[in-house]
Amino acid sequence: MNARIPQSLLRDIKRHGYEVVGDGRIYVPKARMFIGGVFGYEVMRGGEIIDKWDSHNLWVNQGLNHGLDVILHDGTKVHPWYVGIFEGNYTPLATDTAANISATSTECTAYSEATRQEDVETAASSQSTNNTANKAVFTMNATKTIYGAFLASASAKGATTGTLLAADKAGTSKSLTSGDQLLVEYILTAAAA
């Protein structure tokens, strides 16, 4: 796999020659490359979309290290990833991990599905991958205010094991009532600067 990645890019990443920019994307200046993700949210009530919004995520340090290990150090790939949602007015930090994200963000578990929802992404095309055709669906069974979402490797609601890849506090909170469905999309894109 490394043979397809330019050696100069590998060196820059290994030497921490990258920065996290304000919208959560990773920028590698020498390679003039951005990589980052966006969470898309839709609220369905009575079979109709009543609200939708997008928000750039933050790749946390644990997720960055995992990605670097898989690409450059023959680390073990995670598949599948799972989407979790949270009800705390919490802004994710780069230092968040799978061990603390459930508690610090007040993970929401008030939905009918038994586990966090699997992120079923497509194969990469045009430097992007997404779960647009199979969004994570959360059927609310209580009235809750949702502030954001995250991607983690453990499927259990409230899990404190595994790897946290990315997290997002949406620009505004959304009030959901029992029976509403929250659809969460994740789009990851790499682009030349």
Side-chain angles (χ1 to χ4, degrees), residues 71-90:
I71 293 170
L72 303 172
H73 191 63
D74 201 25
T76 303
K77 174 180 111 163
V78 168
H79 187 78
W81 290 97
Y82 296 91
V83 179
I85 56 177
F86 60 90
E87 59 188 81
N89 185 5
Y90 178 71

Side-chain angles (χ1 to χ4, degrees), residues 1-173:
M1 182 172 187
N2 289 353
R4 293 189 221 165
I5 300 172
Q7 292 301 308
S8 59
L9 175 59
L10 297 177
R11 280 191 301 276
D12 288 342
I13 292 171
K14 284 181 180 180
R15 294 177 182 154
H16 301 282
Y18 60 88
E19 59 188 82
V20 180
V21 295
D23 61 9
R25 293 178 300 156
I26 299 165
Y27 176 53
V28 183
K30 287 186 179 178
R32 295 181 294 155
M33 179 186 83
F34 285 97
I35 184 169
V38 174
F39 280 97
Y41 304 88
E42 294 178 349
V43 177
M44 291 193 66
R45 184 175 292 156
E48 303 220 4
I49 296 173
I50 62 166
D51 202 356
K52 64 190 306 186
W53 66 101
D54 295 328
S55 184
H56 286 277
N57 72 174
L58 169 69
W59 273 44
V60 298
N61 294 342
Q62 187 176 49
L64 291 169
N65 287 336
H66 171 75
L68 293 171
D69 279 344
V70 170
I71 293 170
L72 303 172
H73 191 63
D74 201 25
T76 303
K77 174 180 111 163
V78 168
H79 187 78
W81 290 97
Y82 296 91
V83 179
I85 56 177
F86 60 90
E87 59 188 81
N89 185 5
Y90 178 71
T91 300
L93 303 172
T95 55
D96 283 329
T97 66
N100 77 346
I101 193 66
S102 180
T104 57
S105 70
T106 313
E107 181 176 357
C108 179
T109 60
Y111 50 89
S112 301
E113 293 75 18
T115 64
R116 295 171 178 166
Q117 294 301 282
E118 186 176 335
D119 179 50
V120 182
E121 62 282 316
T122 60
S125 174
S126 300
Q127 299 77 53
S128 184
T129 182
N130 61 69
N131 70 344
T132 304
N134 195 2
K135 297 173 185 170
V137 178
F138 300 86
T139 306
M140 304 306 295
N141 58 23
T143 297
K144 292 289 181 178
T145 299
I146 301 301
Y147 284 86
F150 58 87
L151 279 177
S153 63
S155 64
K157 294 178 181 180
T160 58
T161 59
T163 302
L164 177 65
L165 181 67
D168 167 62
K169 179 182 179 186
T172 58
S173 60

